[in-house]
Amino acid sequence: MKDPLIKLENISFSYNSYSVLENINFELNLGEKIGLIGPNGSGKTTLLFIIMGFLKPLSGKIFILGKERKKEKDFLEVRQKLGLLFQDSDSQLFCPTVKEDIAFGPLNLGKNRKEVKEIVEKIASLFNIKHLLERPIYKLSGGEKKVVALATVFAMDPIAYLLDEPSSGLDEEIKKKLIEFLKVYVKTCLIVSHDHEFLKATVEKIYILKNKNIYLY
Ligand SMILES: Nc1ncnc2c1ncn2[C@@H]1O[C@H](COP(=O)(O)OP(=O)(O)O)[C@@H](O)[C@H]1O
Ligand SMILES: [Mg+2]
């Protein structure tokens, strides 16, 4: 049988002495679309950060793409292959303009200038943000930032999408569009959301994170 794309084994995590996750087991297989709900502060963002290697678990094992990931360098490949949408768009966007932010990921993946230009154009027209390309990030509204942040993740064409509250701050029209994108372009994802309707439209299975552990909802 093929390895899961992401496998967490008995993961526990604390911020200093404040325990957030205890003995979490979780798997995401290629082709699977999973939703994750849970009260505010239950540890959903923390869990995504552990998968990306931004936070190190207190104990337990992380396997991604069939390899155990422990050290910082193990996660470099993970960050190229999994696309994380940060809950807070300001954590995602750090270039002077929208165009540069969308280009950053593909450039980092070693694409040449011409390829990157094509990707930026394709993604901008897909997300309907051509008119924003030259705009400095600080001149975007919250909703526009969210769309641009999503565009930067899609521009990397990741194997799987980890989306932290992707629909928050989006108007109904853009939300519908995002649901369509997720249906058409995304094969594998883990979506953290409080928006049950959004999840119903985008994932096959929903888990809940509560009392420091994950349960099928
Ligand atoms: N850097 C941090 N230092 C200390 N506590 C934190 C830190 N980040 C998050 N927390 C706490 O850890 C818990 C889980 O946070 P988080 O993963 O962001 O929850 P969620 O995404 O489910 O709302 C919360 O109680 C939060 O206040
Ligand atoms: Mg969160």
Side-chain angles (χ1 to χ4, degrees), residues 15 18 20 39-47 87:
Y15 288 105
Y18 178 60
V20 179
N40 288 329
S42 56
K44 305 179 296 297
T45 297
T46 302
L47 189 73
Q87 181 172 354

Side-chain angles (χ1 to χ4, degrees), residues 150-161:
L150 274 162
T152 68
V153 179
F154 275 74
M156 292 186 68
D157 193 19
I159 296 175
Y161 290 76

Side-chain angles (χ1 to χ4, degrees), residues 83-95:
L84 173 69
L85 177 79
F86 286 83
Q87 181 172 354
D88 169 17
S89 304
D90 285 323
S91 306
Q92 195 111 38
L93 306 172
F94 49 84
C95 295

